Each structure stands twice: as structure tokens, then as C-alpha cells.
Amino acid sequence: MASPPGPAVPSAMASPRDCINIVVDAWNDMIETENESLRERVSDLEKKALDQGDEIVCLRSTLADVLRRLTLLENAVNSRGGVSPCSTGTVTPVRNGGFRGALNNHISQLKDGPLGGSRLRQPIYHQSSVESNNSIKENSIRNSSHVPTALPQRRGVHYQSTGSLHSDSPSSNSVSPVPTSPSPTHTPPPRVSPAPRQSQPPTPTRSTNSNLHFAKRWSSTGDFNNAPHNGSPLSSRLATKSLLNLNLRVQSPHTMLKHGTREATYNEEERSLRMFLRGRPIILYAPTSIADTYDITKVTTPPQSKLKLDWVYGYRGRDCRSNLYLLPTGEMVYFVAAVVVLYNVEEQSQRHYLGHTDDIKCIAVHPNKLLVATGQCAGHDRRDSRPHIRIWDSVTLNTVVILGVGDFERSICCVSFSKADGGQLLCAVDEATDHNISVWDWQKGERGHRITETKCSVDTVIAAEFHPLDRNCIVTCGKSHISFWTLDAGGTLYKRMGVFENRDKPKYVTCVAFNHLGDIITGDSNGSLIIWARGTNTVAKLVRGVHDGPVFSVCALKEGSIVSGGGKDRRIVQLDSQLNATGLETQIPEHAGGIRVLSEGRGMQLLVGTTRNSILVGSLSMGLSTALTGHLDELWGLAVHPSLSQFITAGYDRTLNLWDSMSHSLVWTKDLPEAAQSAAFSPDGNTLVVGSTTGHWLAIDAQTREVIATHTDGAEPIQVIKFSPDGQFLALGSRDNNVYIYQCGGDNRKYNRVGRCVHSVTCPPKCVSLVKCICFHLHLNHRFPHFQGHSSFITHLDWAADSKILRSNSGDYEVLYWNAGLCRQIPQSASMRDVEWASNSCTLTFETIGIWPDGADGTDVNYCERSNSKKLLATADDFGKVKLYTYPATQPRSLCHSYGGHSSHVTAVTFLHDDTRLISTGGKDTAIMQWTII
């Protein structure tokens, strides 16, 4: 048989377009040839299948009879608790005490029959002859795809890692097969005793689709080897060898991936450890000092040092109400993230209640002023972070009772103690679909007793308060409503809706308070105040235009006057008990935001919580001063001063703050033109560099706050910034997959770009210009091993102690090494095993193996940092935890101390210069936490 003509060779003068067309035509000719051969073979197989139709029907009937007999035999054996003497072969115990050895033998015999290698299926009864023939025909076609053929075959698509990252050679020959999923009708194997795991690549499984009437007709040999088991058209398209499809990967919708260090193995010859993150192999080389004695089975003990929460910077006022009170101890009580803070402004001290596991949404103080109730939302862990209410002692910080674990659906947005009876009851509103309201006898039993629960409103509920004089009266308000509830002796709640009559009905009733006569005072989104007479549900008095914009808070003072706060006009207005203006008012600064909550302090003092997460203390006559300031939006930038106990934070709220950890105060703040993503101090501490979310970065004088230089590198966020230890270089890792390196001069006031460590092509000498063009435009780094650089966004950077080598991690779990002066990649990863690193911020290193738990997917650990003494390692993860390890954490599943407090993903952790404290920043919770190392 004559060989098919080869592809035309492009002439030296041919254009790249002509060369590509020639190659495509050659591929099409080859595929057409394969299709013709395949059609002939399929036709032969169809004829054979029709001839063997009767035999297959008989085999099906025989198989059904065998299965019925085996079922009867197994039931008989199970009833006697023994093994039948006729059972032979391998006997496998199953959960119900029976054995399937005989069944396995029968199946193995049937597999050698005319059915070929097809999977056994249950017989189909009462099937017409036409359907039977169609089924036989399609079954033959399907089985033919697994029969060896002399036609040119293709290998299935594999995941191939960039070899220059983890091996000594420029490319890695290690490939992992495409992750596959079990059949939707797959039955799990019987549970047996656990056996030692072996690191093996997952083997593909074949789908058992019993409906053969819709089986696909294969059109090429590529379809035989890359058969879309799930019937996905994308898989069929990827099976065709087209130049435009080479950079795509076949993925199953139910991919079985390896995670964390569960499948980690140590290669004693190469002295390297292999672990998996989301199915991708990560190879890390052990330092020479421990390589020969390294034992992967050992466990690293937790460090002797521990963390204690020292200070919390921040307050949650942007979206929570009625969350600021004064206790008899002189402490303000409020919450941020999952921490309740008790802050004494005069003594500059804080205490913290840490009983909650996720976001706290509401707080209430008992009439005795000692007990506090706080409610949280549902968290990451469905078992330990379910929504519930905690009642605790504000003096001892001990939990008194926990209410509603498993009873609430989403989160508790409002809580209130009854006042007329000394606080025996507690009402709560759940942010479920119907905003359920419940009343609890919290002192009854170990977990309290829920007296009643009913639907409150389909609309948003903002506030719920017990009446101070009527024991059985509860007032709730929110979107377009105010409701008056009565709790009868039988424990049933009755509701009366507030009637606005002909007056303008507000879009929101935003706050509620009670005067000394028991009348109810509400504020609304129209800027009005309304008095509802005690015992009625009608308007007694309406005062319009008290504020320009919504009234966010109303507070009745002990001496009888009323103060109200505006969210838009930032004004605090004083009125008498009948809502007549007294003429006394003030306005808070614009940078503080609007009024969120007003609370009475000592004497004539007011406590003011703002919408920009600040707390002010003062009076209308003497003015207000800022007691604490927090960030408003997600935090990502964190850096510590190299010689002082100070640190900077920056976030999406476009503010840069410098904090003093000793005085727990804000040194200065600066507005930024854009949202900040990263920050760094220069080694001398005189310069700050802040990276934005748009590729811009600023160099700022740390003393004068003057912008020294402005540069732009790409249009993506600057993820990480690192100065070299000698201060001569600055490295910036971007989300555009590049690392930009600058040379610093003039006392860090001038920056000249050296180059960028880029995802590029370095073709071998035999690589022609056509291949180079295709490689460059399609970015086929996983198919062409002569690619260098990261193929995903940069996440972490580390400088070597000599300031010559740079280490980087990326979003697809790569570890790369760079010659910083040349911006060239060092492909020999094994040669970097003994490099001394000035820091260890990269989460993928041999020294940080132990921070990856079983089941980790590569994004769970956001940040890590080594202490300056090189004895401790701290991590920040997606579950609100700060963890402390012994450094180095070279053993899989190293033990650690874990600490809660953050309710969102922790974005960064870092040690102060003297290792006395640790700073952590939260993402959505906007909290900054300072931990003392003890």
C-alpha cells in the first residue's frame, strides 16, 4: 500500500499565512484518510454485529438467569451467615455480610464471550425486534472504539506542567492524565478496611450509558481515543487535531482532583517532594542539610509560642445598626468581624469576647447592664458556624447561654431584651425569606426555650425592640412598614400594622426609640420623625424635614430630650420630648461619614458610630473627637516598618493608613487616587510603595507623605511588592503574569526599570519561524516545553539574601526562580535548594509544605510570613483563621495553633521587626488585628 503524500514544504519566500494554510491542509488530508479507513471498518463490524444478534440475545437471557440464581444464592448464604461450598475464586466481603466471589467469577467468564469488553447491563425485557437490532448495532459500534486497530492512533490530551519550574531540565516529561469522573450510574465499591495509599495517577473510567439508541457515530480515529464520555460537544471538538484547538484542554464536569499533601511522596534519589494542588503536581526540592535524613512520615510539633489578641482596629458601621453602647465599666461595646470589643477610651485598653465563629450582625445589652446578647450569621463551617445567639457576661467574658443553634436559617439581624420584666425574655429576627421573629425564655434550660416564632415580614426588617413599659409589646420596623406586636399569655404573637393614613408613607422606617412617657419615636428615609402614641398604631405627630436625607438613628436621653442623626447630612440634632427643635446641633466631618448610631455616654457625652466605620465621642456643646478609625472596604495591602513598631494598611477604600502598634493609634492617613492592592516599605523605612488595582504604583515619602514617583506596569492589579534586602531593586508581581523589576537610586527616589520576568518563548535551534509564530500566538506553554515564565497571575515574591535571586509563586501553583539583574528564568530548580532567602512569603516552598491541609485547593492559604528569628511561620487562610507554625514546616500536615476573630478571608499576616507582635488583615470584614506573641 502506497504511503500517503506528505505535507507540502513551504518555500523560503512563503508568507506565514501561506505556511499555516499548507499545514492545515495537510492535517485535513490526513484526517480524511483516517475517516475513510474507519468507515470501512465500522461497516464490517456492523455486518458482524447483525450476524451475531441472535447469539447476543441468548447471552443476555443467560446472564439474567445467572444473576437471578446468584441473588438467591447470596440471600441464602446471608441468612445462614456462612459461605456456600460452591463459591470459588476471590472472595470479597461486603457490608451486609454476603460474598460476591461467585458473581465475580461469572462476570469474568462472560467478559470473554462474544460481548467483548462491554460493561454488563441489566437485561431489557419486552423489547421489540427493531429496538433489539438497533441496540445491537449501536453496541457493536461502541465496542469497536475499544478494539485495537492498525490505523494511526492518538494519545489522549494530558496536563503537562511547565517543566522549567520544577526540574533541572528546560522541560518536564512528567504528565498527568486528564482527570475523569465516574459514571452517573456508578455504584460505589463496598467499604473495606483502609489500606496504605499509593500515589498513582487516576485511571479514566468508562461511562455506562444504557440508552444506546442515541449513541454517537464516531467520525475519526481521534474520536476513538478521545471519546467524550459525557457526551460533551466540546470534548468532541477537542478530539480533532486542529492547530486552533491545541491550546485547549479537555475537562470533565465532575473532575476528580488530588488536593493538598494527602498524596505527597518523597523521592530519595532526586531528594524532592511531590504534592498535588487541584490535580496539578508540585515538585519541591529539599535543602541539602535535611535531604538525606528527611522522613515524610514525621509530624512537626506546634510552636511553644502562642498568640493573644491584643488590639482590634476597626468598627462595623457601614451596614449594621444599634451596635454601640456604654457599659457601667466605662467601656464602649461594639463589634467588628467575629469579635466583640470592649474599649475603654480613657484608659486606652481593650478586651475581647471571642465566642463567635463568624460575622456578628447585632447586639443588645441587658437591663442590668452586665449581660450582653450578640447574634451571628451562618459561616463557612455548616456544623460549627451555624447562626445563633450568645448571651455572655461583660465582666468575666464567660458565655452564659447559647440560643438557637440549628433553629435559625440565615443570620440574626436584630436582638432585644425585654425591659419591663427585668430582661426575662429575648426577641430575635432571623434574616430568612420571611424574616421570622421569635421570642425566647433564655434562662430556661441549658439552651433556653423558644416560646414562639412567626413570620415577621417579607420585606427587610431593620429594628426590633421590646417596649420599656409594656412587657408584652414588641415594635419592629423596616422597609415600608412598622409593626406593633403583642405577646399573649399563651405565647402567641399578634401583629398590628402601623397606619400612616394620608401622610407620606416612607420607603423605609429606619430607627425606633421610646420617650419617658412610653410613646414610640421613629425616623424614616424621608428625613422625618414620627411619634406613635403608646398603645396605638396611628401617627400622633409628624415632623418633616428634620434631616436632609434619611434619619439613621434616634436616641432618647435620660434628661428627656431626643437626639437624631442624619446619614446624608451628617448632622446631630437635639429636640425635646415632643420633637420641638432646641436649636442645638452639630455636624461631623465629611471623612467620618454619616451618622449610623447614637448612644448615650457618661454625663452629657454621646457615642457616635458612623457609616465609614469610625467612632466619635463628645457632646453637642463641646464638640466630638475621633476615638477610633477603621477601613471601609476590603483590605489587601499590609507592610511593617523595618525598624519601628509601625505598619501600614491599604485597601479598596482608597486610603493609606500608618498605625503605631504601641499606642494603638493612627499616625496619619492619606487618600489615594485608586484602590490599593499591595504595599511595601523600603529597607531604610523612608519610602512607601503602594500598588493599585489598575497597574499604577506610587512611591511615597513616609515622613512627608509626598508622592515621589508614579509608574504604570500593565493594566492589571499589582498583586505583590518586594524590595531587595540591599534596597537596590524593587520587584512588582502583577496579575498580568509578569514580574517587573526596577533599579532604585537617589535614596529610593528614582526608579529605572531593568526589565520584566515575562511569559516568553525561547525556541530551540531547530525551531523554524512558523512554529515560533504559532507558539507565541497560541501560548501553548503546556505543549511546547521551550516556554518560560508564569502562565498565571503572580501571587507571592521572595528575594534571596544576596539580592540576586528572586522566587515567585503564581495562581496556577508554579514556583519559578529568576536572575533579577537579567530578568531571566533559572530553569534548574534543584540548584536553588540551598539558597538563603531574606523572607518566606511564598506559600509554595519546601519550608511551607506543612501549611497545606488535606483537601486544600491551592487558594485556601492566602499568605504566609516567616518571623525575623526564623522560628515561627504564620499563615492567613480563606476561613478567617490565623495559624502559627514552627518554622520550617517541612512535614506534611504540620501541627499548629489556630486563632479565630476574622469573619472573612484573611488577606495578609506579618511580624513586626522585633517579633513581639503579629498583624493580620481581613478582607470583607475590614478588620485589622494585632496579636501579641507569648
Side-chain angles (χ1 to χ4, degrees), residues 820-835:
L822 301 176
C823 295
R824 293 290 182 86
Q825 182 183 333
I826 302 174
Q828 294 79 17
S829 301
S831 64
M832 300 289 103
R833 67 170 79 232
D834 293 325
V835 173

Side-chain angles (χ1 to χ4, degrees), residues 616-643:
L616 288 71
V617 179
S619 63
L620 295 179
S621 58
M622 301 297 295
L624 301 169
S625 60
T626 302
L628 67 88
T629 301
H631 280 276
L632 184 63
D633 207 344
E634 196 164 348
L635 284 175
W636 283 94
L638 173 66
V640 297
H641 196 282
S643 58

Side-chain angles (χ1 to χ4, degrees), residues 682 684 686-687 701 708 723 727 744-751:
S682 63
D684 57 10
N686 295 327
T687 306
D701 190 296
I708 300 172
F723 277 93
C744 309
D747 295 332
N748 291 321
R749 303 183 72 88
K750 294 182 180 180
Y751 299 88

Side-chain angles (χ1 to χ4, degrees), residues 796 809 840-845 848-849 851-852 861-864:
H796 306 90
N809 287 171
N840 197 331
S841 299
C842 289
T843 57
L844 288 175
T845 66
T848 59
I849 293 171
I851 69 175
W852 296 99
V861 181
N862 298 317
Y863 202 88
C864 73

Side-chain angles (χ1 to χ4, degrees), residues 1 20 175 186 217 241 268 274 445 476 482 536 599 631 652 661 712 714 768 799 801 832 894 922 926:
M1 179 178 179
I20 292 176
V175 295
H186 173 70
R217 288 183 178 271
K241 278 191 177 179
E268 295 183 356
R274 180 187 180 96
T476 63
I482 178 172
T536 68
S599 183
H631 280 276
Y652 291 172
S661 64
T712 302
V768 297
W799 282 95
M832 300 289 103
S894 297
T926 71

Side-chain angles (χ1 to χ4, degrees), residues 85-264:
C86 62
S87 301
T88 59
T90 303
V91 180
T92 304
V94 293
R95 289 163 59 178
N96 61 2
F99 294 84
R100 297 190 181 273
L103 177 61
N104 293 335
N105 291 336
H106 282 285
I107 293 177
S108 62
Q109 294 172 10
L110 290 172
K111 283 185 177 180
D112 298 332
L115 285 174
S118 61
R119 186 178 293 267
L120 295 176
R121 292 185 298 274
Q122 294 293 332
I124 302 175
Y125 301 101
H126 307 291
Q127 189 176 24
S128 65
S129 59
V130 177
E131 292 177 346
S132 177
N133 291 336
N134 289 338
S135 178
I136 295 168
K137 181 178 179 180
E138 297 293 346
N139 190 27
S140 301
I141 297 173
R142 179 180 291 262
N143 292 333
S144 67
S145 64
H146 302 285
V147 178
T149 175
L151 296 177
Q153 299 293 309
R154 299 180 191 170
R155 296 182 178 180
V157 182
H158 290 75
Y159 288 151
Q160 183 172 357
S161 61
T162 304
S164 57
L165 314 185
H166 313 301
S167 64
D168 293 334
S169 60
S171 65
S172 173
N173 295 325
S174 62
V175 295
S176 57
V178 181
T180 58
S181 63
S183 167
T185 60
H186 173 70
T187 302
R191 184 175 298 175
V192 296
S193 58
R197 293 179 177 268
Q198 296 180 356
S199 177
Q200 296 179 353
T203 57
T205 60
R206 186 168 45 186
S207 176
T208 58
N209 187 2
S210 62
N211 186 3
L212 297 181
H213 308 294
F214 303 97
K216 178 182 182 294
R217 288 183 178 271
W218 312 116
S219 60
S220 70
T221 54
D223 288 338
F224 277 78
N225 295 326
N226 298 299
H229 302 293
N230 57 355
S232 170
L234 177 60
S235 302
S236 177
R237 181 170 64 89
L238 294 176
T240 306
K241 278 191 177 179
S242 169
L243 291 175
L244 300 179
N245 291 334
L246 288 176
N247 64 327
L248 299 177
R249 298 179 182 178
V250 180
Q251 293 187 357
S252 172
H254 304 289
T255 307
M256 303 294 290
L257 298 178
K258 296 180 180 180
H259 297 298
T261 56
R262 181 181 302 171
E263 305 290 339

Side-chain angles (χ1 to χ4, degrees), residues 364-384:
V365 178
H366 193 273
N368 65 13
K369 302 296 183 182
L370 296 179
L371 297 178
V372 179
T374 46
Q376 75 165 58
C377 66
H380 301 282
D381 193 328
R382 295 183 179 180
R383 181 182 60 184
D384 297 332

Side-chain angles (χ1 to χ4, degrees), residues 357-358 380 860 862 877-881 902-906:
T357 56
D358 212 275
H380 301 282
D860 292 336
N862 298 317
D877 63 30
D878 266 354
F879 309 106
K881 300 297 183 183
H902 288 285
S903 59
S904 178
H905 52 283
V906 188

